[in-house]
Amino acid sequence: MLTLPMNILLLVLTMTGSMLFMAALNRIWPQEKRQVHNDLIGWQLNIIGTTYAVILGFMLYTVWTDFGAANLNVDLEASALRNVYRLAEGLPEQQHAELQSQSRAYAQTVIDNDWPDMARDLIPEESHQINQAMWKTLMSVKLATPSEIVAEDHAISELSSLTEHRRTRLLQSKYQLPIIFWGVLLIGGFLTIASASMFGSANPRLHALQVFSFTLLITLVLLAIADVHHPFRGWVHVSNFAFERAQENMKD
C-alpha cells in the first residue's frame, strides 16, 4: 500500500537514480564513443521500448478495469441493501422492524469498520455477522399473507445479491498482482531506461532531458499501477460513498 508521500519519494528516488546512472555511464563510456554505435543502440531501444510500452499499457488497462469493477460491485452491494430495507416494509411487523434495523446497522458497520479493515488488509467480520442475522430474520417469517410472501421472496433475492457482492468485495480487497508481473514491469523499465541512456547524442543536455522525461513517464505509470491495483487500500481507493448515500436513504 502506497501513500501519496511514498509515491512522491519513490518518484524522486527513481529520477535521481536515473540521472546518476546516466552520469556514471557518461564517465565510464563517453558519449562521443557511443555515437558510432547509435545504429545498433537505436534498433535495440526501438524493440525494447515498443515491447515494454505494450506491456505497460496492457497492465495499466487491466488494473484500471479491475478498479472499475470493484467500484461497480460496491454500488451494487449498496443498492441491494437499500432494496432489502424497502422490501422489509412488506413483511410482518416484527421482521419489518428487525430487518430495517439490521440494514441500517449493516451500512453503519461497512462505513465504520469494513473500509478501515480493508485499508489495513484485514477481513471485516462484523458486517458478516449482521448479514447472517438478516438471513435469520427473513427465514423466521411464518404464516405470512400473500403480499408478505411476495415481499419476502423479493427480499431473499436482494439479500442473496447483497451477500454475493459483499463476498466479491472481500475477494477484490485481497487481490494481489502476481510477483512475476512486477518483475516484468520493473526489469522492463530498467532495460528501457538503460537503453535510452546508452544512446550517444551530440547534445548532452538534450539527451539528459529526454532520459529524464522517459524515466518520469515510466515511473508515473508504474506508480499508477501500484496504486490502482489495490482498490480498497492506499490513497487511490474505492470510496464508501455508495453506503453513505444508502445510509441517508434509510433514515426514518
Side-chain angles (χ1 to χ4, degrees):
M1 180 179 68
L2 297 177
T3 62
L4 181 57
M6 290 175 63
N7 275 271
I8 296 174
L9 177 61
L10 285 173
L11 181 62
V12 171
L13 290 176
T14 304
M15 302 306 300
T16 303
S18 175
M19 293 297 99
L20 290 176
F21 173 80
M22 186 176 178
L25 182 63
N26 289 337
R27 179 178 293 272
I28 298 171
W29 189 12
Q31 289 193 359
E32 56 271 14
K33 294 184 178 181
R34 300 202 303 265
Q35 291 179 9
V36 296
H37 303 291
N38 278 351
D39 290 342
L40 178 60
I41 296 174
W43 172 83
Q44 176 190 11
L45 177 60
N46 184 50
I47 297 298
I48 293 178
T50 301
T51 303
Y52 186 65
V54 172
I55 296 173
L56 207 59
F58 177 76
M59 290 304 302
L60 183 60
Y61 171 79
T62 299
V63 296
W64 178 247
T65 301
D66 292 341
F67 186 89
N71 195 37
L72 176 61
N73 183 74
V74 168
D75 289 340
L76 293 175
E77 183 184 358
S79 178
L81 179 64
R82 289 196 301 268
N83 291 338
V84 170
Y85 180 86
R86 296 306 178 194
L87 288 166
E89 296 176 358
L91 299 178
E93 186 59 34
Q94 180 181 353
Q95 286 79 15
H96 169 201
E98 289 180 359
L99 192 57
Q100 288 198 333
S101 175
Q102 291 163 349
S103 297
R104 289 191 293 267
Y106 184 92
Q108 188 66 52
T109 300
V110 167
I111 294 171
D112 293 343
N113 297 336
D114 282 26
W115 249 252
D117 285 347
M118 291 188 298
R120 296 191 297 267
D121 197 23
L122 301 175
I123 297 294
E125 294 295 339
E126 188 172 346
S127 59
H128 172 69
Q129 297 173 2
I130 297 175
N131 180 259
Q132 294 297 101
M134 294 169 75
W135 276 108
K136 290 181 180 179
T137 299
L138 265 181
M139 295 298 99
S140 68
V141 176
K142 305 296 182 184
L143 302 175
T145 64
S147 62
E148 291 172 342
I149 292 175
V150 172
E152 180 188 14
D153 182 63
H154 284 76
I156 290 174
S157 177
E158 292 295 337
L159 187 55
S160 298
S161 178
L162 171 69
T163 304
E164 179 182 353
H165 290 305
R166 179 186 182 276
R167 187 180 301 114
T168 300
R169 170 165 58 85
L170 298 185
L171 291 175
Q172 290 169 333
S173 72
K174 299 297 291 184
Y175 172 75
Q176 296 281 348
L177 196 65
I179 298 296
I180 189 172
F181 286 171
W182 278 116
V184 171
L185 290 172
L186 294 175
I187 294 174
F190 173 77
L191 292 177
T192 303
I193 294 171
S195 297
S197 300
M198 286 189 295
F199 198 81
S201 174
N203 190 330
R205 292 184 178 180
L206 179 60
H207 186 208
L209 177 61
Q210 291 173 335
V211 173
F212 180 89
S213 302
F214 210 15
T215 306
L216 177 63
L217 178 60
I218 291 176
T219 305
L220 287 175
V221 175
L222 289 176
L223 289 175
I225 293 173
D227 288 328
V228 172
H229 100 280
H230 289 299
F232 296 98
R233 284 182 276 166
W235 72 288
V236 179
H237 61 270
V238 175
S239 171
N240 60 6
F241 176 74
F243 283 96
E244 292 177 349
R245 287 289 299 161
Q247 190 178 45
E248 293 177 3
N249 293 335
M250 290 187 294
K251 290 180 179 179
D252 291 334

